[in-house]
Amino acid sequence: MMKAQRVTAILEYVKEKESVSLDELVDRFGVSKNTIRRDIQELVDEEQLVKVYGGVSISKPLTVPYQDRKVKQFHEKQKLAKLAAEFIEDGDIIFLDSGTTTVELLDFIKYKNITIVTNNLDFTLDASAYPNLNIYSTGGVFERSTRSYVGTESAEVIQKYNFNKAFMASTGLSLDKGITNSSPLETQVKAKVIQKSEQVFILVDHTKFDKYALTTYCNFDDIDYLITDQEPPKAYITHSEQNQYEVIYPN
């Protein structure tokens, strides 16, 4: 690939992902890190990209509005939520992550007697109609793009709690990078939840496999269940058998 073609391809790739690590670009385009740095600098100089810690981001984030993300893959998210809800029992103390997938859990658990700690604003609001759901909010900085509370304050609050189950979302996951997320502020919260929960459930639809975002918040040996909407690539089935987590998907 000629340099001009590669630079254009890099720009399109970053626009698609919104934020990308240098290592991912090296793997994607098969060139050295120095070459990627030079290509990125050219795009930065043209004000088409901006540098972020460990990678690069689009200069004007093309964040999909929350409501649009909620509609996208709606049926897949409902499948995930229904499968995940089967693991929630009366008396559980659970953490419910930010994101549009975890919001869908409410329909399947709204009549259970459970305690929920969450940084998910929409879940908190929607669940307020059900007094049997004991809701605790993490507080912290409000992240409008994900409608969640993030940052150091949220992570410090989470340190005080003990969860027997955590239901987590991910921007993308891969066998070499682990479970990833695009926001460093959200990653602080997610990583602390993983430490504090007895069981960890990762909820991702089929489009998230073999993709990764800027930060890794946990590895596969930190999780107990990977729940998805259809049979994942065989490499993940094999990996789960070798690493003592279970992959759950509809029959």
Side-chain angles (χ1 to χ4, degrees):
M1 183 183 292
M2 300 293 289
K3 178 184 177 182
Q5 293 175 313
R6 187 177 63 247
V7 171
T8 300
I10 288 171
L11 179 59
E12 292 304 312
Y13 187 68
V14 178
K15 282 183 177 179
E16 178 186 342
K17 302 292 287 286
E18 295 193 16
S19 62
V20 181
S21 68
L22 290 181
D23 288 339
E24 181 176 357
L25 291 173
V26 169
D27 292 343
R28 174 79 176 183
F29 294 97
V31 294
S32 70
K33 188 170 283 190
N34 283 337
T35 297
I36 288 294
R37 285 197 179 102
R38 288 194 292 270
D39 291 346
I40 285 174
Q41 190 59 53
E42 186 174 315
L43 291 165
V44 170
D45 291 343
E46 294 173 358
E47 298 185 350
Q48 298 198 66
L49 296 179
V50 293
K51 291 180 179 178
V52 296
Y53 182 76
V56 66
S57 178
I58 50 179
S59 56
K60 294 181 180 179
L62 299 173
T63 303
V64 178
Y66 180 87
Q67 191 60 36
D68 290 351
R69 294 202 310 275
K70 193 170 181 180
V71 171
K72 187 178 181 182
Q73 308 289 138
F74 173 72
H75 294 296
E76 287 80 358
K77 291 171 183 177
Q78 281 204 317
K79 288 180 186 177
L80 291 175
K82 185 176 182 180
L83 286 173
E86 293 176 4
F87 292 90
I88 299 175
E89 303 171 325
D90 285 345
D92 278 345
I93 302 172
I94 72 172
F95 180 85
L96 200 66
D97 199 8
S98 60
T100 56
T101 300
T102 47
V103 168
E104 299 303 328
L105 265 170
L106 180 59
D107 278 345
F108 302 101
I109 64 173
K110 58 190 178 185
Y111 298 121
K112 294 182 184 290
N113 293 291
I114 55 178
T115 297
I116 300 169
V117 180
T118 185
N119 61 339
N120 190 322
L121 175 63
D122 287 285
F123 183 91
T124 303
L125 295 174
D126 293 346
S128 63
Y130 303 96
N132 49 297
L133 300 178
N134 195 18
I135 310 291
Y136 291 82
S137 171
T138 63
V141 178
F142 183 60
E143 176 62 60
R144 286 174 173 79
S145 64
T146 57
R147 295 180 62 78
S148 64
Y149 292 97
V150 299
T152 303
E153 296 93 339
S154 296
E156 288 174 351
V157 168
I158 287 165
Q159 179 64 40
K160 302 174 184 177
Y161 292 112
N162 297 303
F163 316 111
N164 63 322
K165 296 166 186 173
F167 296 85
M168 311 298 294
S170 170
T171 307
L173 72 169
S174 69
L175 294 179
D176 59 335
K177 303 297 183 184
I179 318 300
T180 70
N181 186 62
S182 57
S183 167
L185 287 175
E186 279 197 333
T187 291
Q188 292 180 47
V189 174
K190 291 173 185 285
K192 184 58 67 175
V193 170
I194 300 302
Q195 294 175 19
K196 298 293 292 183
S197 185
E198 293 177 9
Q199 289 187 313
V200 175
F201 298 75
I202 304 296
L203 280 60
V204 289
D205 66 58
H206 66 278
T207 65
K208 304 294 179 63
F209 286 86
D210 292 329
K211 295 181 181 178
Y212 61 89
L214 192 59
T215 60
T216 296
Y217 71 84
C218 73
N219 296 307
F220 285 94
D221 56 5
D222 297 315
I223 75 173
D224 298 282
Y225 296 92
L226 176 60
I227 301 179
T228 187
D229 60 303
Q230 64 185 45
E231 185 173 357
K234 291 190 181 298
Y236 289 85
I237 302 293
T238 301
H239 189 261
S240 70
E241 293 169 348
Q242 296 170 345
N243 291 272
Q244 298 183 327
Y245 65 92
E246 189 173 349
V247 180
I248 307 292
Y249 56 91
N251 290 328

